[in-house]
Amino acid sequence: MKNPLPRGAFHAVSRALTLLMLAGAPLLPSAVHAAAPQVRTQAPGFHRMLLGDFEVTVLSDGTVPQTVSEVATHTTPERVKELLSRDHLTDPVELSINAFLINTGTALVLVDTGVGGFFGPGVGGQLQQSLRAAGYQPEQIDVVLLTHIHSDHSGGLMSNVSRAFPNAILQVHAREAGFWLGRDDRSKGPVDPKYFEEARAMVGPYQGAGKLKTFGDGDSIVPGIRAMPTPGHTPGHSAYVVESRGQRLALWGDLMHFGSVQLREPSVTVAYDVDERAAASQRARAFTEAARRGDLIGLAHMPFPGLGRLGAEGKGYRWIPTNYSSGQRWQGAKDRAE
């Protein structure tokens, strides 16, 4: 039998082994400390705010990648890339697709419906999910307003072969309906025929069910919401002015597509404009007026939720996003107002 280690030596060896094990512990795999798998999906997109007595909920339909340098006109690809780089963006840019739900207390009004399934899987198509996550069902929508009938604004009108908003009246400017739903496309200039086919596929079922109603310049849609004609991007393109208790929100649709470019150079147009000269003129007028008044603006393709104001900056403008509110103080503010 070998002689045992002296007591002091035994404790020294024991301490050394313990320290060695502790030092190596972080290197050993452990199920407890393993990283959770990445989720890689966003939460359903909705953003809520109060406008006087109205509740406005912005609904995200997702995003669409857009190569801005290929579709921006009255500029050059080099200039577009330079302007994008100032905001640390590169082509293609992921553009938001935003819709706006206004609860007036007596009517539930949806402005634009997103792209639906027109652009294929993984591009848009999130409106219904966002609507339900926001606490509403499509059957509750009373009125659907379209800023215009391009597919990224009207594509969500249908769910397969059924109307996605079965109880809603669909309203659009008379010029817009006449242009896209008329039977003779040959007299309408160099517009891709697919846009007419898509318009009929989306709007036609509402028309056939007696659910389509047209309006004219400046008409009131429901109390507190009126149409503002902004033709150019399309012949009947319309913005909507929402007002309650002296507060005002202008929903601009496609008066602007690419903020990083068109805020700095409003004269830049887009290949989808039916009348690019009129579109640029409408944008210049709207920018000047909004910056002067300080209006709150909602835009279809600015980063979600697309709410903000314009500030004049040299020959261009800057975007001032709305300050976020958790809603915790809304009731107190409403009580004080009353």
Side-chain angles (χ1 to χ4, degrees):
M1 179 177 177
K2 294 183 180 179
N3 292 328
L5 287 171
R7 186 167 184 171
F10 175 82
H11 287 302
V13 171
S14 177
R15 284 196 300 271
L17 289 173
T18 301
L19 290 172
L20 181 62
M21 291 176 66
L22 289 174
L27 302 177
L28 298 176
S30 169
V32 175
H33 298 293
Q38 295 178 344
V39 179
R40 299 194 178 189
T41 57
Q42 294 283 21
F46 69 92
H47 174 89
R48 204 141 20 220
M49 59 164 284
L50 284 184
L51 186 84
D53 289 333
F54 293 176
E55 184 177 74
V56 178
T57 305
V58 189
L59 302 172
S60 173
D61 189 51
T63 61
V64 55
Q66 181 74 79
T67 306
V68 181
S69 58
E70 292 181 357
V71 298
T73 51
H74 282 232
T75 186
T76 65
E78 294 74 22
R79 180 59 174 163
V80 167
K81 290 176 181 178
E82 177 191 344
L83 293 172
L84 291 176
S85 70
R86 294 187 189 180
D87 291 338
H88 303 280
L89 295 173
T90 57
D91 257 347
V93 176
E94 202 170 348
L95 297 183
S96 291
I97 307 173
N98 304 321
F100 299 85
L101 183 67
I102 303 110
N103 189 335
T104 70
T106 58
L108 200 55
V109 181
L110 177 64
V111 178
D112 288 337
T113 68
V115 72
F118 265 121
F119 290 174
V123 181
Q126 302 298 307
L127 182 85
Q128 292 285 346
Q129 178 189 20
S130 297
L131 177 68
R132 289 185 169 92
Y136 293 102
Q137 298 298 319
E139 294 80 10
Q140 294 177 284
I141 305 300
D142 298 302
V143 178
V144 174
L145 300 177
L146 296 182
T147 56
H148 60 300
I149 308 183
H150 276 161
S151 57
D152 56 329
H153 297 257
S154 64
L157 282 171
M158 296 295 292
S159 178
N160 296 319
V161 296
S162 301
R163 299 193 311 278
F165 307 100
N167 299 317
I169 297 295
L170 174 62
Q171 297 201 43
V172 65
H173 196 286
R175 282 194 302 270
E176 191 75 358
F179 184 80
W180 296 109
L181 303 179
R183 304 313 303 179
D184 185 7
D185 300 342
R186 295 170 297 178
S187 63
K188 297 174 181 177
V191 178
D192 192 326
K194 74 174 184 178
Y195 293 123
F196 298 100
E197 297 167 7
E198 291 171 357
R200 291 168 190 143
M202 291 298 102
V203 178
Y206 288 81
Q207 186 178 34
K211 295 282 191 175
L212 176 65
K213 182 179 178 181
T214 60
F215 56 79
D217 293 352
D219 283 0
S220 175
I221 308 300
V222 299
I225 303 177
R226 61 182 173 85
M228 181 172 69
T230 51
H233 180 58
T234 63
H237 188 282
S238 298
Y240 296 99
V241 178
V242 185
E243 294 180 286
S244 175
R245 283 187 175 268
Q247 297 184 35
R248 172 183 167 112
L249 167 66
L251 301 176
W252 275 4
D254 277 3
L255 276 179
M256 181 175 71
H257 290 80
F258 318 121
S260 296
V261 176
Q262 290 174 302
L263 284 169
R264 295 181 175 112
E265 298 185 359
S267 61
V268 172
T269 49
V270 64
Y272 313 126
D273 289 335
V274 174
D275 184 340
E276 61 182 20
R277 179 176 295 181
S281 176
Q282 291 288 351
R283 182 163 44 256
R285 178 198 56 78
F287 279 16
T288 300
E289 179 71 6
R292 182 184 65 81
R293 289 176 54 102
D295 281 346
L296 180 61
I297 302 161
L299 282 158
H301 299 304
M302 283 295 280
F304 179 79
L307 292 169
R309 291 177 168 82
L310 295 187
E313 190 168 70
K315 295 182 178 180
Y317 299 85
R318 62 188 177 97
W319 178 247
I320 308 166
T322 54
N323 191 54
Y324 176 74
S325 171
S326 66
Q328 292 172 296
R329 297 172 60 84
W330 288 356
Q331 188 58 49
K334 184 177 180 182
D335 291 343
R336 288 192 297 274
E338 293 175 346

